[in-house]
Amino acid sequence: MKTIHKIQNVIAVIALGMSMRLAMQLEMTTNETISATIMVVLTILMLLERSAKEIHQKE
């Protein structure tokens, strides 16, 4: 289980880095904006899901 969490952390960092790189560009197309938004939302959802699972396991 811990290996899966480490892989998810790496994916989250990569997704956030890619979205920040896209957001920092001066000329963003609509597709890049949508891609960056989707990556950030998916990352947040993944981390929230994991924390919810950990809370339920502790109970």
Side-chain angles (χ1 to χ4, degrees), residues 1-3 5 7 9 11 14 17 19-20 22-23 25 27 30 32-33 35 39 41-42 45 48 57 59:
M1 228 24 198
K2 290 184 181 183
T3 305
H5 289 265
I7 292 170
N9 286 340
I11 291 170
I14 290 170
S19 63
M20 290 301 159
L22 288 173
Q25 292 177 352
E27 298 177 13
T30 304
E32 289 173 337
T33 305
S35 296
M39 282 189 269
V41 169
L42 288 176
L45 288 175
L48 286 174
Q57 286 178 354
E59 291 178 352

Side-chain angles (χ1 to χ4, degrees), residues 27-56:
E27 298 177 13
M28 288 184 68
T29 65
T30 304
N31 288 340
E32 289 173 337
T33 305
I34 293 170
S35 296
T37 304
I38 289 172
M39 282 189 269
V40 169
V41 169
L42 288 176
T43 302
I44 292 169
L45 288 175
M46 181 180 66
L47 295 174
L48 286 174
E49 179 187 9
R50 183 182 337 148
S51 66
K53 284 182 182 178
E54 289 176 358
I55 290 171
H56 288 295

